[in-house]
Amino acid sequence: GGMAQGKVTLRKEDIVVLEIGMRLRDELIRQGATVVMTREVQDLYHTNIERCEIAEAAGAHIMLRLHCNNSSNTNKTGIQIYSPLNSDYARAVAEPEGYRQMGEILLNEMKDAVGYERKDATGIVRLNDNYVGNNWAKMACFLVEMGYMSNATEDLKLATPDYQQMLAEGMADGVYEIALLRGWVTAAPEETTAEE
């Protein structure tokens, strides 16, 4: 219920996010991550709490909840990142400023990947307790609104494989930067050349 639908393409949000999710999975695996999907087919449904349980059972460090936005204002564009604020589970992972920092990393990598300027008009990070799926997550969790399907231009972009790939690469790079920040991975040593 309440699923976004493309203004021009008429494509449903669950199809678009699955396409991008599969690209993200492949990019993360290419970068060496272990990935667990909550679904790999369109007609599979899990509750928000079940999705959190899947991530927890897998021992996930981070959970990305992919969505596309919708607004009655068809001029609205941009990427939004929502993070938990006050849930006990969220506080066990990070304080609000820690979540904001991680969200900004993810958002900025996505903006860079799709060519958006790093300014509020192209997207922001919001911390709140409005999303059950964020509040029940026992790991770093971000609801990622990848664009507005109610905006004709973004709807068309979100349906394009090249743009979907850019979003996936931006998210994967953001996950890597968060993993570095949190100490889940260490940076690969710079290649050195011997001088004679």
Side-chain angles (χ1 to χ4, degrees):
M3 184 185 309
Q5 183 171 7
K7 178 177 177 63
V8 176
T9 65
L10 303 180
R11 300 182 87 223
K12 299 276 190 179
E13 177 184 11
D14 64 345
I15 295 170
V16 174
V17 299
L18 182 58
E19 290 171 348
I20 298 170
M22 300 296 263
R23 292 177 184 280
L24 174 58
R25 176 202 62 193
D26 294 348
E27 183 61 24
L28 286 167
I29 290 170
R30 188 190 69 72
Q31 291 186 15
T34 301
V35 179
V36 174
M37 303 282 286
T38 58
R39 70 181 177 105
E40 295 187 25
V41 295
Q42 183 191 359
D43 59 355
L44 179 63
Y45 177 78
H46 294 290
T47 67
N48 286 319
I49 293 173
E50 287 171 340
R51 292 173 192 169
C52 292
E53 290 170 344
I54 291 168
E56 183 182 0
H61 287 94
I62 190 168
M63 180 176 181
L64 299 180
R65 303 177 56 228
L66 306 186
H67 288 270
C68 294
N69 230 330
N70 194 35
S71 175
S72 58
N73 177 355
T74 58
N75 293 318
K76 254 189 171 176
T77 61
I79 301 166
Q80 310 296 320
I81 306 288
Y82 294 91
S83 299
L85 180 60
N86 290 310
S87 82
D88 291 340
Y89 293 145
R91 288 295 177 108
V93 173
E95 291 298 317
E97 281 314 305
Y99 259 109
R100 183 170 302 284
Q101 181 184 19
M102 290 185 285
E104 291 287 343
I105 289 169
L106 182 60
L107 178 63
N108 287 335
E109 291 294 334
M110 291 177 71
K111 285 182 179 184
D112 291 349
V114 300
Y116 283 169
E117 291 182 53
R118 287 190 181 188
K119 58 183 186 177
D120 287 353
T122 60
I124 60 174
V125 173
R126 296 181 192 271
L127 276 62
N128 62 44
D129 296 319
N130 296 343
Y131 300 103
V132 171
N134 283 2
N135 298 339
W136 279 82
K138 295 181 181 178
M139 68 292 301
C141 182
F142 304 92
L143 188 155
V144 183
E145 294 279 7
M146 299 177 287
Y148 283 84
M149 295 186 82
S150 49
N151 177 279
T153 302
E154 282 198 346
D155 174 32
L156 289 168
K157 284 182 186 178
L158 288 163
T160 306
D162 287 346
Y163 190 77
Q164 291 180 353
Q165 185 63 32
M166 287 188 283
L167 284 169
E169 289 174 8
M171 280 186 278
D173 290 346
V175 167
Y176 174 72
E177 293 299 325
I178 291 168
L180 284 174
L181 175 74
R182 302 289 292 189
W184 302 329
V185 298
T186 56
E190 300 271 338
E191 286 189 34
T192 56
T193 57
E195 292 185 20
E196 295 182 341

